Amino acid sequence: MGRRMFNYNYKSIIVLIFFILLKSGFVFSKDYDQIFEEGNRFYQSGEFENAIASYNKIIEDGYESAALYFNLGNAYFREGNIGYAILNYERALKLSPGDEDIKHNLAFANAQTRDKPEPLPSFFIFNWWESLLALNSLNGWVYLSYFIFILLLLSLGLYLVGRKLILQRYSFYTALGFTVILIALVVISGVKYMRETKISNGIIIQPAVTVKLSPDIRSNDAFVIHEGLKVTVEDKVENWFRIRLPDGKVGWLEKKELEII
C-alpha cells in the first residue's frame, strides 16, 4: 500500500514539473521550430512578407538565435528593406561573432547603403583589441572562462594529491598558466559586458533622417543620414537619441528613426 502511495506521489510530481515547464515556455520549442520552418518555406517560395511575420512572431515571444536573426535579415534584404536587414544581421553577429555567412551578408548589405563615413584613425593596438573582443560573444567568453577555471581546479587538485615531485611540479606550472589565462579571460569578459550594457549601437531604419543639433524638432539641422547606417547611441532624452557617427559627427534624432541592435 505504501509503495503504491509513493508511486502516485512520484507521478504527481512529474506532472507538476511538466505543467510548470509548460507555463514557463520550456516545452514550446517544438512549436517554435515549426514556425521557424514555416518561415523558411515562405522564404523559399518567395513570400518574404510572410517569412518576416513568422520569424518576428518567434522574436516577439522572447526567443532569439543567430540563425533566426540571420534568416530574418535575409528576408528583409529580399524585400528591399536594407535598414532592417542590417539590423538583424548585426543582431545575428552579436550572438555568433565568428559566423562567416553572417559577416558576408552583412558586408554585402552595408555595400548597398548610401552613407559610408570614414572612421576616425586609431592606434593599431586599439584595432587589435577590438578584433580580439569581436572573436567571441559575451556568453562565449564567459563559458571559456568557466572551462579554464575547471582546468585550473583540476591542476590544483593534482598538485595537492600528487605524491611524485615531477607531477607536483608540472601541476603547479600548469595551474599557474591557467591562472594567467583565466585573468585575461575575466578581463575580456568584463570589458565585453561593459560594452554591451553601457554602450549601445543602433541602425537607422528610415530612408532619410535629418539629425538635429539638439533634442528638439525646431532645432537647427546638423546633417542628413540614410537607412542602414550604424551609429553609436551616447545619450537619451525622452524620445530623442544623441548619436555619434564613425567619423565623429554628433547630433540628435528621434527614437522612431533608429533601432537598437
Side-chain angles (χ1 to χ4, degrees), residues 199-217:
I199 300 177
S200 297
N201 292 311
I203 303 296
I204 302 302
I205 57 172
Q206 299 297 330
V209 173
T210 300
V211 181
K212 299 291 186 176
L213 292 176
S214 62
D216 187 341
I217 195 66

Side-chain angles (χ1 to χ4, degrees), residues 119-228:
L120 295 173
S122 59
F123 196 46
F124 78 94
I125 292 180
F126 296 129
N127 294 331
W128 174 84
W129 176 248
E130 294 297 329
S131 299
L132 177 64
L133 290 176
L135 285 176
N136 213 341
S137 64
L138 174 59
N139 287 339
W141 286 119
V142 171
Y143 293 149
L144 187 57
S145 300
Y146 286 151
F147 178 69
I148 295 299
F149 179 66
I150 292 172
L151 293 180
L152 172 60
L153 293 180
L154 291 175
S155 300
L156 290 175
L158 283 175
Y159 174 76
L160 294 174
V161 303
R163 296 184 179 181
K164 293 184 178 181
L165 181 61
I166 189 169
L167 178 61
Q168 288 184 321
R169 182 179 300 167
Y170 281 127
S171 299
F172 174 78
Y173 286 116
T174 301
L176 189 61
F178 283 138
T179 300
V180 173
I181 296 173
L182 181 61
I183 292 173
L185 289 174
V186 169
V187 171
I188 292 173
S189 299
V191 172
K192 191 81 171 180
Y193 174 78
M194 292 295 293
R195 288 283 185 87
E196 295 193 3
T197 55
K198 301 296 183 182
I199 300 177
S200 297
N201 292 311
I203 303 296
I204 302 302
I205 57 172
Q206 299 297 330
V209 173
T210 300
V211 181
K212 299 291 186 176
L213 292 176
S214 62
D216 187 341
I217 195 66
R218 297 182 297 274
S219 172
N220 291 333
D221 299 344
F223 48 87
V224 176
I225 52 179
H226 301 87
E227 181 181 18

Side-chain angles (χ1 to χ4, degrees), residues 52-80:
I52 290 169
S54 295
Y55 297 141
N56 275 324
K57 181 178 180 182
I58 301 173
I59 294 171
E60 287 166 3
D61 285 345
Y63 292 81
E64 63 176 8
S65 73
L68 178 59
Y69 284 128
F70 178 69
N71 287 11
L72 181 56
N74 289 338
Y76 274 120
F77 185 84
R78 294 297 296 272
E79 275 284 285

